[in-house]
C-alpha cells in the first residue's frame, strides 16, 4: 500500500561512516532549501545506520524535497527518499495530535534543526578551529575559499550541501587530477569569512578534518 504524503521524509542508503552530528548538519544544509525543517534525526544504533528522518513544517515542502532529492549522490551513494510510514512527534505536535501517553513510535525525533541552533548538537559541540587554522594564517580575506584534506570521493554536489547553507554561496570547484582540495566561491569576502568560521575543522569523515583558508589571488 502506498504511503500517503506527510511532513516527514524517511531517508535510506546514506553514507554510514559519517558521524551523527556531521550527518545532521549535512542533511539540514541539503534539505532546508525546500522549506522550513523542524527536525533532523540520525541515530547511531546498528540497525538504523544509513538512515535518517527529515521533518518539515508542511507537506508541500516535504513533497518538493522528495521529488528533487530522490537518488541524489550523497557522499558517493544514491540517496533513497520516501514518506515516513509513521507520523513523527514533531509533526504531531504541529497539528495538535500529539499525546504523551500514546507515543507508540519507535523513533523519537528530538533534535530541532533551526537556523539559530543548527550548530548545537545534542551531546557534542561544534568543532573548533585548530591552532593551525587560526585567524593569523588563513590568508588575506577575499570571496574565494581554499579547502584541503578532503576525502578522495568528494564531489562538487557534496561540497554544495555543506556551503549552500551560508548566504552568498555561488559555487564549488574541484581541481582536476588533484583530489583532496577544492575552491568555494562566495559573493563577498564577508560572506566567505562567515563560512570559513562556521566550517573550519568540520570532519567530513573521522579521518578528514577540513582545513579552510582564503585562496591566494
Amino acid at each position: 500500500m502506498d504511503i500517503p504524503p506527510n511532513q516527514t521524509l524517511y531517508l535510506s542508503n546514506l553514507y554510514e561512516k559519517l558521524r551523527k552530528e556531521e550527518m545532521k548538519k549535512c542533511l539540514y544544509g541539503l534539505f532546508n532549501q525546500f522549506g522550513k525543517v523542524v527536525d533532523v534525526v540520525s541515530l547511531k544504533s546498528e540497525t538504523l545506520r544509513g538512515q535518517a528522518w527529515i521533518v518539515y513544517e508542511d507537506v508541500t515542502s516535504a513533497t518538493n524535497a522528495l521529488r528533487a532529492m530522490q537518488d541524489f549522490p550523497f557522499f558517493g551513494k544514491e540517496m533513497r527518499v520516501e514518506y515516513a510510514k509513521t507520523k513523527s512527534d514533531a509533526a504531531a505536535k504541529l497539528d495538535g495530535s500529539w499525546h504523551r501517553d500514546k507515543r507508540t513510535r519507535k523513533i523519537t525525533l528530538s533534535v530541532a534543526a533551526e537556523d539559530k541552533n543548527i550548530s548545537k548538537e545534542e551531546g557534542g559541540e561544534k568543532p573548533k578551529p585548530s591552532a593551525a587554522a587560526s585567524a593569523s594564517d588563513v590568508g588575506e580575506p577575499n570571496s574565494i575559499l581554499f579547502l584541503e584534506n578532503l576525502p578522495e570521493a568528494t564531489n562538487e554536489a557534496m561540497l554544495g550541501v555543506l556551503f549552500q547553507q551560508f548566504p552568498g554561496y555561488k559555487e564549488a570547484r574541484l581541481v582536476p587530477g588533484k583530489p583532496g582540495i577544492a575552491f568555494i566561491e562566495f559573493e563577498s569576502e564577508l560572506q566567505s569569512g562567515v563560512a570559513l568560521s562556521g566550517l573550519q575543522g568540520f570532519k567530513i569523515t573521522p579521518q578528514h578534518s577540513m582545513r579552510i583558508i582564503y585562496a591566494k589571488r
Side-chain angles (χ1 to χ4, degrees), residues 29-112:
L30 184 60
F31 281 88
N32 73 348
Q33 61 183 305
F34 301 103
K36 184 177 180 180
V37 174
V38 297
D39 251 328
V40 177
V41 166
S42 176
L43 302 178
K44 282 185 175 182
S45 66
E46 190 67 28
T47 57
L48 295 175
R49 291 181 64 184
Q51 304 172 62
W53 289 260
I54 307 291
V55 186
Y56 282 99
E57 192 172 48
D58 56 78
V59 177
T60 299
S61 297
T63 300
N64 291 338
L66 184 150
R67 292 171 178 171
M69 300 309 299
Q70 192 66 263
D71 297 326
F72 180 83
F74 185 67
F75 288 88
K77 300 182 68 173
E78 291 187 354
M79 181 189 301
R80 301 284 184 264
V81 187
E82 57 187 298
Y83 294 112
K85 295 181 180 179
T86 307
K87 182 184 295 185
S88 70
D89 285 349
K93 289 177 180 178
L94 284 174
D95 65 19
S97 62
W98 184 83
H99 296 285
R100 183 177 298 276
D101 57 349
K102 295 182 180 181
R103 294 167 66 187
T104 60
R105 292 173 289 280
K106 293 183 179 180
I107 305 301
T108 301
L109 305 182
S110 61
V111 181

